[in-house]
Amino acid sequence: MVIGRLTAIATVICLLFLTASVVSSSAPCEKADNLNWVSGKNLCFAIKTFVHDKEVSRPVLRVFLHGDNSRGGPSDYMYRYASVYAPGVVSVAMLRPDHYDREGRRSTPKTYGRRNWETEESIDAIAAAVRKLKIHHKASRVVMIGHSGGSNISAVMLGRHPGVADAALLAGCACDKEAKKMMQGRTYREEDVNPLDYVDKIPPNAKIIAITGSRDSTNPAELCRPYIRYLKERGVSARLDIVEGAKHGFRRLGRSIAYQVGLLELSKQ
């Protein structure tokens, strides 16, 4: 009898926990204002918006996507870079599925077995969210700024959802995911979308700048060169800049001249 009661109590507690989890993950999108929260298909994304010049009617929209953050903890390091003042620009830092910030806000939990996978579903949801932000801010141009996994997502978006973004700055991109798996001696999984597979679908008027640290052992430049080369062969404006001495982390890449120049170049109307 005691065991039966304990089992029943445990079941009730489990159901309450699951219910609370569903409410907490879905509730924010009921108040989606495209400034703090934005919905993308069936996912809800926590965002931080920085509007520096309210006089501009057709601003450039910059969307910042963080990396995988495999060590855990808050994934809001891109807030710092999105907050940098830029006339005529609206900057939005978005938290990818199941990632959270220091304020305790978390985007919809969606792990796919591992929260950092760049799957078709998650990329489609992010693209839908970016499209809503573009409409909300009446943006004349959208520039994706991604780091590591965030750059992989941005690279895929350009081809999988042509027209959602006009340009992308890809920092530490594993633009050939299959080659990376081979380099690591691991099996490539189809669920993990490969940016290289979408090169042919990227609009010819897109602009892409990739920056990689010369000491990046996680996503070395070799993983990005074929992607850039194929883009150039199609007549797309693309280049790869190497940041001397930088590793994979975004701090040094974000302080580099290559990043500053690239961001200004891609944001031109």
Side-chain angles (χ1 to χ4, degrees):
M1 292 294 291
V2 174
I3 294 177
R5 289 176 182 174
L6 289 176
T7 302
I9 292 172
T11 301
V12 170
I13 292 174
C14 183
L15 288 172
L16 288 173
F17 175 77
L18 290 174
T19 301
S21 298
V22 170
V23 170
S24 63
S25 64
S26 63
C29 270
E30 295 176 2
K31 299 180 181 179
D33 57 2
N34 297 319
L35 296 173
N36 301 287
W37 298 90
V38 61
S39 62
K41 290 200 167 182
N42 61 331
L43 301 186
C44 187
F45 299 97
I47 60 176
K48 180 77 85 171
T49 303
F50 301 89
V51 181
H52 302 292
D53 192 345
K54 297 181 180 179
E55 299 300 321
V56 177
S57 59
R58 298 280 291 167
V60 172
L61 174 63
R62 294 175 179 171
V63 180
F64 293 74
L65 285 179
H66 59 83
D68 290 353
N69 194 11
S70 300
R71 295 180 180 179
S75 300
D76 55 9
Y77 65 90
M78 293 299 262
Y79 288 6
R80 177 188 309 173
Y81 303 94
S83 67
V84 176
Y85 176 76
V89 170
V90 173
S91 295
V92 175
M94 181 183 297
L95 296 179
R96 291 163 53 192
D98 204 31
H99 289 260
Y100 62 92
D101 62 14
R102 288 173 177 81
E103 299 172 14
R105 302 183 310 140
R106 184 190 294 269
S107 293
T108 301
K110 195 76 174 178
T111 65
Y112 309 100
R114 175 173 169 266
R115 72 173 182 167
N116 290 320
W117 277 353
E118 295 102 43
T119 65
E120 292 181 352
E121 181 183 4
S122 63
I123 293 172
D124 292 348
I126 291 172
V130 172
R131 188 179 288 109
K132 286 187 178 180
L133 293 174
K134 180 179 181 179
I135 294 172
H136 175 79
H137 293 289
K138 298 180 176 62
S140 60
R141 184 174 180 79
V142 176
V143 181
M144 301 296 301
I145 300 97
H147 172 231
S148 192
S151 67
N152 301 340
I153 291 172
S154 300
V156 171
M157 271 182 56
L158 289 173
R160 186 172 174 84
H161 297 278
V164 172
D166 304 280
L169 196 159
L170 311 175
C173 181
C175 289
D176 187 349
K177 299 291 287 293
E178 188 169 1
K180 179 175 181 176
K181 297 298 183 184
M182 292 177 62
M183 180 183 73
Q184 296 174 329
R186 297 164 57 188
T187 302
Y188 176 73
R189 302 187 61 152
E190 293 183 358
E191 295 91 339
D192 222 359
V193 185
N194 191 354
L196 199 62
D197 293 338
Y198 290 87
V199 170
D200 292 339
K201 299 178 182 178
I202 294 177
N205 61 340
K207 291 186 178 181
I208 297 142
I209 297 176
I211 60 173
T212 303
S214 64
R215 299 175 61 195
D216 189 338
S217 58
T218 303
N219 291 338
E222 286 69 25
L223 296 179
C224 202
R225 293 189 195 281
Y227 178 81
I228 297 298
R229 183 174 68 251
Y230 293 150
L231 285 170
K232 287 183 175 181
E233 290 175 356
R234 292 190 54 242
V236 177
S237 175
R239 73 169 184 267
L240 170 63
D241 293 334
I242 305 299
V243 180
E244 290 300 326
K247 296 182 180 180
H248 187 62
F250 193 74
R251 181 174 298 181
R252 189 159 181 177
L253 292 174
R255 293 201 303 256
S256 69
I257 297 298
Y259 171 81
Q260 303 296 335
V261 171
L263 196 56
L264 288 174
E265 183 179 329
L266 296 177
S267 299
K268 288 181 180 179
Q269 296 277 14

